[in-house]
Amino acid sequence: MSNIDPSALSKEKILDAYERISHYLMKTPVHISTTVDSIVGKKVFFKCENFQKTGSFKARGALNAVLSKMCQEKNAKNFAGIVTHSSGNHGTALSWACQTQSIPCTVVVPKDTPFNKIESIKTYGSRLEFCEPNPTSRVEVAGRLSEENKLLLVKPYDDYDVMAGQGTVAVEFLQQIPDLDAILVSVSGGGLISGISVYAKSINPNIKIFAVEPAGKRLGKCLENKKRNLEGKEPTFLNTRAEGIKTEMCGELTFPIISKYIHPDDVFTVTDDQMIEATKFIFKRMKMVIELSAGAAVAALFFG
């Protein structure tokens, strides 16, 4: 398992990110449901990042990365724009972030990306490049475009600036609900849970952070064996309808952070059917539209 620089992602870096990006973003509300509380027998608070700019928490990490990296003189001089690879939400968020700074943006998306997410990326004026629907193709195409066109590569999760931006979710959440004793986080590449864990644990070492994954990810086993790639195979996408959390492996930078803060027994695995049921419940009872990837955390409440 790779070593991490303790100073690369810290409470201070996350607070710096919050100061940097908060002028551009929504302070998203926290909703409650007495019905949910009665079902699970606990007081539950929903941090509504579906109301964030571009519709997800991804705007936080994307904007922090753009502002942090492109304010560096060497990057401003050496790069003609920014490129990323994304199955949707990060691409949309980075496109928006680049638009706020008038920076050209290119997004590499798999050919099977949902049409609504492709249209969302286009809304912010980014150039789209399509790749094969697997993680290796995404990385290779984005890397090639970066070299050929002098574009700065901003990865969707394996980037400390992105993680720091995502960690600002916890800054707000703990301001709004200071006595939280646990946070459930859906996990794909691991940027969100890394940022949340670092900040929340620095404020309250006893707070529990639970990871929620789609079936097939096997994060608990990875943590138990201290290996992000159990079989040493090529990375792939999971067979799940939760498009936002279909990445099989956590990142090279995120996995050591997750290993530090998340116990193998604190990983909940949910099925597509459970996510669908939970997502429908939130729509029917709380009148909110959320993605299946967000519904995963709700499913963990009901079925975990």
Side-chain angles (χ1 to χ4, degrees):
M1 186 167 59
S2 59
N3 295 322
I4 61 172
D5 177 1
S7 67
L9 186 64
S10 62
K11 172 187 174 183
E12 290 72 27
K13 291 290 179 65
I14 293 169
L15 288 173
D16 286 346
Y18 192 57
E19 176 67 22
R20 188 177 296 118
I21 68 178
S22 58
H23 308 293
Y24 296 87
L25 296 173
M26 305 286 292
K27 185 171 185 177
T28 54
V30 174
H31 286 190
I32 60 173
S33 167
T34 55
T35 302
V36 173
D37 292 350
S38 65
I39 291 173
V40 303
K42 298 181 184 298
K43 190 73 174 175
V44 180
F45 301 92
F46 296 86
K47 179 64 170 157
C48 298
E49 286 294 291
N50 52 313
F51 296 137
Q52 188 51 268
K53 295 285 188 179
T54 74
S56 83
F57 70 90
K58 292 283 191 176
R60 298 174 181 269
L63 183 60
N64 189 53
V66 168
L67 295 179
S68 298
K69 297 178 190 303
M70 294 309 284
C71 73
Q72 298 176 30
E73 186 176 357
K74 64 176 183 178
N75 287 338
K77 286 183 177 180
N78 294 335
F79 295 101
I82 285 177
V83 64
T84 192
H85 52 86
S86 168
S87 58
N89 285 341
H90 173 72
T92 300
L94 194 68
S95 297
W96 166 79
C98 286
Q99 186 186 68
T100 68
Q101 305 303 307
S102 300
I103 297 171
C105 181
T106 299
V107 183
V108 178
V109 297
K111 293 177 179 177
D112 61 352
T113 298
F115 179 76
N116 65 304
K117 293 196 173 183
I118 291 174
E119 289 300 300
S120 180
I121 293 171
K122 287 182 178 179
T123 299
Y124 298 106
S126 287
R127 171 190 171 196
L128 270 77
E129 292 282 346
F130 291 92
C131 67
E132 295 304 316
N134 62 73
T136 300
S137 179
R138 279 175 35 161
V139 171
E140 288 178 349
V141 173
R144 175 176 56 78
L145 292 171
S146 174
E147 290 185 11
E148 291 177 354
N149 301 310
K150 294 185 178 180
L151 302 176
L152 178 64
L153 177 62
V154 176
K155 298 177 182 178
Y157 49 85
D158 229 13
D159 180 300
Y160 290 119
D161 289 328
V162 171
M163 290 183 238
Q166 318 303 33
T168 64
V169 172
V171 176
E172 287 183 3
F173 207 0
L174 288 169
Q175 288 173 351
Q176 293 163 313
I177 313 293
D179 58 349
L180 282 176
D181 55 16
I183 304 176
L184 281 80
V185 186
S186 300
V187 178
S188 186
L192 178 61
I193 197 169
S194 294
I196 286 177
S197 297
V198 168
Y199 185 80
K201 286 287 189 178
S202 73
I203 298 299
N204 176 9
N206 295 319
I207 195 170
K208 295 282 286 185
I209 310 295
F210 293 100
V212 183
E213 64 173 6
K217 189 175 183 69
R218 300 184 297 167
L219 178 57
K221 186 172 286 293
C222 290
L223 295 173
E224 186 178 343
N225 290 277
K226 295 181 168 50
K227 292 177 64 177
R228 61 179 286 269
N229 188 342
L230 289 172
E231 287 91 19
K233 63 178 184 178
E234 283 290 312
T236 186
F237 289 134
L238 298 170
N239 182 23
T240 174
R241 295 179 67 181
E243 179 270 334
I245 52 173
K246 66 180 182 179
T247 298
E248 180 186 24
M249 297 178 195
C250 293
E252 292 182 4
L253 300 182
T254 61
F255 185 72
I257 299 171
I258 297 168
S259 297
K260 179 178 179 180
Y261 292 106
I262 310 301
H263 191 276
D265 292 338
D266 293 337
V267 178
F268 290 103
T269 303
V270 294
T271 66
D272 278 11
D273 287 344
Q274 290 170 339
M275 286 186 269
I276 291 168
E277 185 174 341
T279 300
K280 287 180 177 178
F281 178 94
I282 294 299
F283 178 73
K284 291 177 180 177
R285 302 307 295 264
M286 297 182 71
K287 307 306 179 187
M288 287 195 296
V289 178
I290 62 173
E291 294 188 28
L292 288 179
S293 51
V298 183
L301 279 175
F302 293 158
F303 304 107

